Amino acid sequence: MKPMAHLGVGIGWRPEIADAVDRLPGLDWVEVVAENICPGHLPEALLRLRERGVRLVPHGVSLGLGGADRPDPEKLAALGERAVALGAPLVTEHIAFVRSSWPALEAGHLLPVPRTRDALDVLCENVRIAQDALPVPLALENIAALFSWPGEELTEGQFLTELVERTGVRLLIDVANLHTNRVNRGEDPLAVLDAIPLEALAYVHVAGGVERGGVWHDTHAHPVPPVVLDLLAELRSRVDPPGVLLERDDDFPPEPELASEVAAIRAVVTAGAQDGQAAAGPEGPRAAGAEDGHRAVGAQDGQAAAGAEGPPAAGAEGPRAVAGEDARTRLGLGQAALLSALVAGTPVPEGFDRQRIGVQSRALAAKRADVVARLAPELPGILGGGKPYRTAFLAYAKGRPMTAGYRRDALDFAEHLLIQDLPADPAARRRLTAWWRERAGARPPSRVVRWARALVGRAA
């Protein structure tokens, strides 16, 4: 596998911290949530960064390559469009599943894939499909999880290693996720680092979280703890990472604190080079890429810049390159049963930790409420504030699983209230009706329709 081009030290770009990111000293690159940008209307702040030579990398969250279904061609095309628009050297996604097709349910969150032969076969085929469709190389991230699947056949290190060997995909290693899985699933992060092919490393994520009741929550809304920086140092002692990036998604700190976190990450990477623990050369990891001529790479030559040769030759496929339909069916049934328990209140499948599944279920509902409030900030205002909004939304979520993403969820929530003649205040109800009508492009249900739906239980 060819060496990955140097990225340096970066940060996850978010609109809320765009000005702070613009002023960060020595910023080499940023990562952008792919689903949050429109290729034809990039934010001015991103365009300014690109003009300065700061690399931009799209990070997808909705493909669900670990799911039982083959990747959605439209989602793949959209991810590729964003890579081209950003002039990205690669795109990244997750080793996770996010939905089931029967029943049609959306998690709105990255859920762990069972480390079984069936799941690995399906994942490898899905990765190959994605690689063929994307204009630049693909890297996949290990995720954080609250629970484990029963009956797993492979360790995390074995699963990731075989995935790389069979597909040639790059790895995005999140050291915060390694720590999360140490607390939540009892997994040894050093064993994972020792087992995986670090020559396949594309870059590294670093993030903060918090422990509550013996469960580590990977919040991306807390400072990076020393234990995660220690894991970064362990990784740095084994390899010179092509890139390292701070993720922060919420509860953003003041600009000096943000800069301090980036500086702490850079110090760990630089210290590893100075100690001679990795073959970074005497100039250190940042200088190694300063003269490589890759800072202004366009999308058309991103494949070469990333140093990946694309999908491996046919001889590298091995005997298990294509997943049989039986494997997809078995995986799909298992994932659907789990997702239904998490978001629709059905019984927890045999073998899972019921307490952990309950924690995950509540976390998914809370995340739905938070994301819908961010996408539709008018709703809490119409309903009288954050607390009554949250109470109403969580009551709605118990009986109405998400089936088509968060934006549709916001509309369905509003319609759910209107069907029940809520909110009780007529003025608030008129405001909610106007809000719903403007976005749904249709008239809200009439009183007769609301009454009929109530009879068949839709208002429950």
Side-chain angles (χ1 to χ4, degrees):
M1 183 173 286
K2 295 180 182 178
M4 177 74 195
H6 182 77
L7 291 170
V9 175
I11 190 169
W13 187 90
R14 305 292 183 265
E16 298 90 337
I17 54 171
D19 291 339
V21 169
D22 199 42
R23 291 188 290 265
L24 278 176
L27 183 68
D28 298 311
W29 66 294
V30 301
E31 182 189 77
V32 186
V33 177
E35 289 81 357
N36 290 350
I37 60 170
C38 178
H41 303 279
L42 295 179
E44 288 295 326
L46 280 179
L47 294 175
R48 287 196 302 271
L49 290 173
R50 189 175 64 180
E51 289 168 3
R52 281 168 41 194
V54 175
R55 277 184 171 173
L56 314 178
V57 174
H59 185 55
V61 297
S62 64
L63 269 184
L65 290 174
D69 294 328
R70 290 177 176 82
D72 182 339
E74 291 185 4
K75 290 184 182 295
L76 284 172
L79 185 57
E81 288 173 3
R82 283 150 179 78
V84 172
L86 296 175
L90 78 165
V91 297
T92 58
E93 249 285 355
H94 299 82
I95 301 170
F97 83 99
V98 297
R99 65 182 62 86
S100 66
S101 57
W102 188 259
L105 298 172
E106 289 274 347
H109 188 71
L110 302 166
L111 295 175
V113 173
R115 289 178 296 217
T116 62
R117 285 290 170 187
D118 278 352
L120 182 60
D121 288 347
V122 170
L123 175 63
C124 287
E125 185 177 358
N126 288 351
V127 168
R128 286 297 187 85
I129 293 170
Q131 289 171 318
D132 289 342
L134 292 168
V136 294
L138 173 68
L140 295 181
E141 179 181 351
N142 61 305
I143 73 162
L146 279 172
F147 59 88
S148 297
W149 283 78
E152 293 193 323
E153 300 163 339
L154 301 165
T155 66
E156 178 81 343
Q158 291 169 335
F159 194 86
L160 295 178
T161 298
E162 192 162 338
L163 171 65
V164 171
E165 290 174 347
R166 289 169 57 180
T167 65
V169 75
R170 297 278 178 172
L171 294 177
L172 192 180
I173 295 300
D174 189 316
V175 291
N177 291 350
L178 292 179
H179 173 65
T180 302
N181 294 338
R182 169 167 52 193
V183 176
N184 294 349
R185 303 203 287 185
E187 297 174 356
D188 182 358
L190 301 187
V192 177
L193 292 179
D194 287 339
I196 60 177
L198 290 174
E199 66 275 11
L201 184 65
Y203 59 87
V204 180
H205 273 174
V206 181
V210 64
E211 186 171 354
R212 300 191 193 97
V215 173
W216 187 268
H217 297 270
D218 182 45
T219 63
H220 295 191
H222 292 79
V224 177
V227 67
V228 172
L229 290 177
D230 290 345
L231 280 178
L232 176 61
E234 287 284 353
L235 184 148
R236 180 65 185 89
S237 73
R238 291 160 171 78
V239 68
D240 180 6
V244 183
L245 180 128
L246 171 66
E247 281 192 300
R248 188 78 182 229
D249 293 328
D250 204 355
D251 198 15
F252 299 102
E255 188 172 331
E257 291 183 26
L258 201 63
S260 177
E261 286 208 280
V262 174
I265 290 169
R266 191 187 301 280
V268 172
V269 176
T270 304
Q274 292 172 345
D275 292 343
Q277 293 174 315
E283 68 276 17
R286 286 195 67 230
E291 297 178 0
D292 64 3
H294 293 309
R295 290 290 297 274
V297 172
Q300 65 272 19
D301 40 45
Q303 184 107 354
E309 62 277 15
E317 292 181 6
R320 301 178 66 87
V322 178
E325 292 306 314
D326 287 348
R328 287 190 181 274
T329 298
R330 288 191 293 269
L331 181 64
L333 289 172
Q335 290 179 341
L338 172 62
L339 188 51
S340 183
L342 288 170
V343 302
T346 59
V348 176
E350 191 68 29
F352 283 95
D353 184 321
R354 295 176 183 274
Q355 182 178 1
R356 287 295 176 88
I357 295 301
V359 172
Q360 182 72 82
S361 178
R362 291 188 293 274
L364 292 178
K367 181 179 179 179
R368 277 177 73 185
D370 291 342
V371 175
V372 166
R374 286 200 297 270
L375 290 175
E378 304 88 353
L379 292 177
I382 292 171
L383 297 179
K387 187 174 181 179
Y389 156 78
R390 195 173 187 84
T391 299
F393 188 91
L394 292 178
Y396 149 82
K398 283 183 180 179
R400 295 289 295 269
M402 184 165 57
T403 60
Y406 286 112
R407 296 186 187 280
R408 182 70 248 177
D409 205 24
L411 289 171
D412 288 346
F413 170 55
E415 182 181 346
H416 172 79
L417 294 177
L418 292 172
I419 287 170
Q420 300 180 85
D421 283 332
L422 294 174
D425 175 55
R429 193 162 60 249
R430 285 194 297 271
R431 289 174 60 200
L432 184 62
T433 298
W435 182 92
W436 184 91
R437 180 183 295 163
E438 180 181 347
R439 288 155 183 79
R443 295 184 62 83
S446 67
R447 185 174 297 274
V448 172
V449 171
R450 295 199 298 268
W451 175 77
R453 288 178 177 177
L455 286 180
V456 296
R458 285 204 56 186

